[in-house]
Amino acid sequence: EAQVTQNPRYLITVTGKKLTVTCSQNMNHEYMSWYRQDPGLGLRQIYYSMNVEVTDKGDVPEGYKVSRKEKRNFPLILESPSPNQTSLYFCASSRSYEQYFGPGTRLTVT
Amino acid sequence: KNQVEQSPQSLIILEGKNCTLQCNYTVSPFSNLRWYKQDTGRGPVSLTIMTFSENTKSNGRYTATLDADTKQSSLHITASQLSDSASYICVVNPDGNNRLAFGKGNQVVVIP
């Protein structure tokens, strides 16, 4: 089954403790991206990747890092999480116009 | 200013009734427009994708229209079901390279 998976689905952490949210897709898509979704603000792009070793900033990249060492994986790294990064995070992959979203990771930073 | 505006922000409709959601955009250039359905706490799922040359596209009980001249799109839900309760997000792709402009969504609640 074609899908985008994210782990963990839920995470509660403390300020400053580094964390990684993994994202993997099995559709051999070149393009992957990360979004955060906050009430009243909609989906906002954090980072995207056009292909392996090619990444670029989206609209809200501050406080986040990404890497794309393999085509299928696109982890999101928070080096020093802060409470304003509490949000619902979505990974997505796409080819052409069709974009597939993962199930989401709900992150709470206390 | 948000480049993609959706209205109404939320609405409640009776099961079996029809409804229409609106999306106005100022994004330019324009490559394609998408409508997504997002159930609470889940990832968005694509309903329709329309390019510049397409005026309408259907997916079951969902029908999207596009007027690229006036930069307006609508999503019509026919004979609503309880499972249609969700947020519907309008997304515009300016140049086909996946740097997308998102609307904030129309929250639809279908009641029995």
Side-chain angles (χ1 to χ4, degrees):
Chain A
E1 178 190 356
Q3 60 181 353
V4 178
T5 57
Q6 295 178 228
N7 281 293
R9 295 289 314 280
Y10 303 90
L11 178 60
I12 300 174
T13 190
V14 296
T15 299
K17 185 176 181 181
K18 180 180 178 180
L19 66 92
T20 299
V21 183
T22 64
C23 173
S24 183
Q25 51 96 0
N26 62 1
M27 294 169 280
N28 201 35
H29 288 166
E30 293 178 346
Y31 188 95
M32 298 184 73
S33 56
W34 275 102
Y35 299 90
R36 61 179 289 174
Q37 187 175 39
D38 303 290
L41 295 178
L43 283 155
R44 294 179 293 168
Q45 191 177 49
I46 303 171
Y47 268 95
Y48 65 96
S49 170
M50 303 287 283
N51 212 327
V52 175
E53 301 292 1
V54 181
T55 63
D56 207 348
K57 297 177 181 178
D59 299 317
V60 287
E62 294 78 20
Y64 305 95
K65 287 175 56 177
V66 294
S67 69
R68 188 91 182 273
K69 293 183 169 53
E70 328 165 72
K71 201 171 191 178
R72 64 181 292 125
N73 296 323
F74 190 42
L76 179 69
I77 304 158
L78 285 71
E79 294 271 4
S80 182
S82 62
N84 65 11
Q85 293 178 298
T86 292
S87 188
L88 180 59
Y89 291 86
F90 291 101
C91 178
S93 75
S94 60
R95 174 188 289 151
S96 186
Y97 298 156
E98 193 64 63
Q99 187 167 43
Y100 298 85
F101 285 84
T105 294
R106 186 167 292 281
L107 172 65
T108 301
V109 184
T110 62
Chain B
K1 181 173 166 29
N2 198 10
Q3 298 183 81
V4 181
E5 297 285 350
Q6 294 187 237
S7 62
Q9 184 175 359
S10 61
L11 76 161
I12 300 172
I13 59 174
L14 289 174
E15 185 179 12
K17 298 295 186 182
N18 303 335
C19 72
T20 299
L21 312 175
Q22 298 291 342
C23 173
N24 297 335
Y25 62 93
T26 58
V27 176
S28 183
F30 173 85
S31 172
N32 60 82
L33 183 145
R34 316 163 187 196
W35 281 95
Y36 287 87
K37 178 187 179 189
Q38 184 179 22
D39 294 317
T40 300
R42 293 179 164 245
V45 175
S46 179
L47 291 176
T48 63
I49 301 172
M50 290 181 291
T51 60
F52 182 87
S53 60
E54 296 175 293
N55 300 118
T56 185
K57 185 162 281 189
S58 292
N59 178 356
R61 295 180 296 101
Y62 301 101
T63 299
T65 65
L66 172 64
D67 186 333
D69 291 331
T70 61
K71 297 188 175 181
Q72 296 179 325
S73 177
S74 66
L75 181 69
H76 186 76
I77 306 175
T78 303
S80 61
Q81 300 177 357
L82 297 178
S83 59
D84 292 331
S85 294
S87 178
Y88 293 85
I89 304 172
C90 176
V91 183
V92 179
N93 187 346
D95 51 14
N97 69 0
N98 283 297
R99 289 301 308 274
L100 307 175
F102 288 83
K104 295 181 181 180
N106 306 98
Q107 187 66 45
V108 174
V109 176
V110 181
I111 59 175

